[in-house]
Amino acid sequence: MNVAQLQAEIREFAAAIGIDKIGFTTAAPFVKLKDRLKQQQRLNYQSGFEEPDLDKRTNPLLLLDQAESIISIAVAYPSKMKDSPRGKKGERRGMFCRASWGEDYHTVLRDKLAQLELFILTKVPDARLRSMVDTGELVDRAVAERAGIGWSAKNCAIITPEFGSYVYLGEMITNIPFAPDEPMEDQCLDCTLCLDACPTGALIQGGQLDARRCIAFLTQTKQAVPEEFRQKIGNRLYGCDTCQTICPKNKGMNHTHQPGFTPDPALVKPLLLPLLSLSNRQFKEQYGHMSGSWRGKNPIQRNALIALGHFKDESAVPELVRLLAEDPRPMIRGTAAWALGRIGTAEAEVGLHQGYIAEQEATVKEEIDRAIKQLQTN
Ligand code: SF4
Ligand code: SF4
């Protein structure tokens, strides 16, 4: 096998199947990353969605016998939506982040990696290969950084000169000794715009994130959102793009050539009120193909309530009162109470008092009590 020739053929094939950027690195352990992850664990800055075993996250040899190299891939996604609907009074809308626009990127990248695996296997039938996207053990960004896809930026994203940070990442561990690419120089330099713009102060310092304060994480939790973050979440239903949209390196970056990622404006910027009454089946039918649906409808509906409170949308009061009285989920009743407290009409006040009398769950009663107090300060 001529490895250099195969590597060149892989680059060519990858471009032909719509992989926007490809890089190669060795399968050596990610030693510095392990130290950083240990520190993140110590500080309790992790989201809890990560693979807990730090050795597996940082040592490719534990994931594939005789691992020699890793192929890192990047696929660009758009940052702008055509015909974005405007929210107006009585018709407020929420927002899914860009990484949830169009088809679930996990499916798209897994498919491209599967095609790449087949291609390699036709050339090297006994090759050992293992691909992953996002939910695998390895840290996609660390692999991409070392493979020269982009630099590891202060907003914790990988920024590519060609597509900004609007790229999805995936990788394939192989037992073929491909020549590694050179990592890229940091180009953030003395800029701190993303740190200053983060609504919750989740970016502790350049490249260090307290995931538990990050809105991208908070919108995915299954529990009530701590009160200090609710107003900061605004109308975000899933994820947060602020530290990307503020970044000067993303200026003018809007790559729309991947047809699967074209957003449906009505879905990624949906009306809030109809979201609240969706059944599980309706949610799956309408949103199931989007990556932002992976935690089910409950977090999205909770975030829709937060958004209605954020907008102080008076037309939502009857529905919020209904949810407070009838919904079986304490998290939804509690968040509805918070939103009613923010909106603060006479009807909201009556609904809160009635809700308080009927409520059995202590945590929800506390929410209602706080919402009534909030009304008095409105
Ligand atoms: Fe801050 Fe949003 Fe970036 Fe999280 S995603 S670090 S909350 S700006
Ligand atoms: Fe780097 Fe500035 Fe972009 Fe933050 S906003 S990622 S510091 S270039």
Side-chain angles (χ1 to χ4, degrees):
M1 172 184 41
N2 180 333
V3 175
Q5 190 189 332
L6 176 61
Q7 197 161 349
E9 286 173 4
I10 288 174
R11 287 187 201 274
E12 215 171 286
F13 180 76
I17 61 167
I19 290 173
D20 289 311
K21 199 162 182 190
I22 189 164
F24 296 79
T25 183
T26 69
F30 293 81
V31 179
K32 279 194 197 145
L33 173 68
K34 189 171 173 188
D35 291 342
R36 250 197 1 252
L37 293 176
K38 266 191 203 155
Q39 193 193 23
Q40 291 288 96
Q41 274 186 343
R42 240 189 348 263
L43 293 166
N44 200 22
Y45 281 174
Q46 296 203 310
S47 69
F49 295 146
E50 310 88 353
E51 159 68 51
D53 184 336
L54 294 192
D55 289 319
K56 281 193 186 160
R57 292 186 78 191
T58 55
N59 189 354
L61 282 158
L62 297 178
L63 305 175
L64 184 85
D65 259 356
Q66 296 156 6
E68 287 281 350
S69 69
I70 315 175
I71 304 175
S72 172
I73 66 161
V75 177
Y77 59 91
S79 71
K80 290 194 170 59
M81 178 176 13
K82 259 198 197 156
D83 307 321
S84 171
R86 286 200 173 274
K88 47 182 190 249
K89 221 170 164 217
E91 278 189 19
R92 295 299 186 185
R93 290 178 180 272
M95 193 71 207
F96 281 81
C97 73
R98 288 161 177 76
S100 185
W101 288 5
E103 202 182 328
D104 187 334
Y105 70 91
H106 297 85
T107 319
V108 176
L109 267 75
R110 276 187 199 128
D111 176 62
K112 292 194 190 299
L113 284 164
Q115 291 184 58
L116 198 56
E117 283 191 7
L118 273 180
F119 178 79
I120 296 172
L121 287 169
T122 57
K123 309 277 172 184
V124 188
D126 60 349
R128 295 174 53 78
L129 310 167
R130 179 154 174 220
S131 297
M132 52 192 80
V133 179
D134 181 41
T135 52
E137 294 88 341
L138 289 180
V139 179
D140 302 330
R141 290 171 183 172
V143 176
E145 180 189 12
R146 209 169 72 183
I149 294 285
W151 74 95
S152 179
K154 287 184 189 164
N155 63 2
C156 297
I158 290 294
I159 302 188
T160 66
E162 304 87 344
F163 312 104
S165 59
Y166 299 124
V167 283
Y168 297 122
L169 303 170
E171 60 271 339
M172 186 193 300
I173 314 175
T174 86
N175 67 342
I176 305 168
F178 293 116
D181 288 313
E182 277 297 308
M184 211 169 273
E185 287 289 311
D186 166 62
Q187 293 175 38
C188 285
L189 306 173
D190 56 359
C191 174
T192 57
L193 281 174
C194 53
L195 277 81
D196 304 337
C198 174
T200 57
L203 288 166
I204 305 296
Q205 55 177 325
Q208 186 178 37
L209 177 78
D210 177 354
R212 300 202 172 243
R213 297 187 67 83
C214 175
I215 291 172
F217 162 74
L218 290 164
T219 55
Q220 298 177 51
T221 60
K222 293 197 169 174
Q223 314 82 33
V225 170
E227 202 159 345
E228 65 168 306
F229 299 121
R230 290 184 195 166
Q231 267 176 258
K232 291 174 175 158
I233 285 179
N235 72 332
R236 297 175 183 89
L237 295 172
Y238 180 83
C240 168
D241 283 328
T242 301
C243 56
Q244 295 203 86
T245 50
I246 194 81
C247 176
K249 307 292 180 189
N250 277 338
K251 200 159 183 266
M253 295 293 183
N254 179 37
H255 294 276
T256 56
H257 56 279
Q258 301 280 354
F261 299 143
T262 305
D264 175 345
L267 284 183
V268 302
K269 208 174 165 188
L271 288 168
L272 291 168
L273 265 175
L275 274 180
L276 298 179
S277 49
L278 287 182
S279 67
N280 282 331
R281 210 190 58 186
Q282 288 167 326
F283 179 78
K284 215 165 169 215
E285 275 167 11
Q286 292 178 35
Y287 295 93
H289 65 286
M290 290 163 54
S291 63
S293 73
W294 78 287
R295 300 283 279 172
K297 72 169 186 173
N298 292 354
I300 303 290
Q301 289 182 326
R302 176 205 56 205
N303 302 338
L305 292 168
I306 292 176
L308 289 164
H310 157 77
F311 286 126
K312 300 194 174 179
D313 185 348
E314 294 183 11
S315 72
V317 169
E319 179 65 353
L320 298 183
V321 171
R322 182 189 73 76
L323 289 170
L324 178 58
E326 293 175 7
D327 198 279
R329 298 161 295 178
M331 176 180 78
I332 293 295
R333 297 201 301 281
T335 315
W338 176 84
L340 286 168
R342 294 261 314 149
I343 300 168
T345 59
E347 191 189 351
E349 188 167 5
V350 172
L352 282 168
H353 283 288
Q354 283 172 346
Y356 189 83
I357 294 164
E359 184 59 56
Q360 301 291 318
E361 181 89 23
T363 52
V364 182
K365 256 185 139 62
E366 282 164 27
E367 287 270 12
I368 302 174
D369 190 43
R370 278 201 299 275
I372 291 171
K373 289 190 180 118
Q374 165 77 37
L375 277 177
Q376 287 148 9
T377 63
N378 276 351

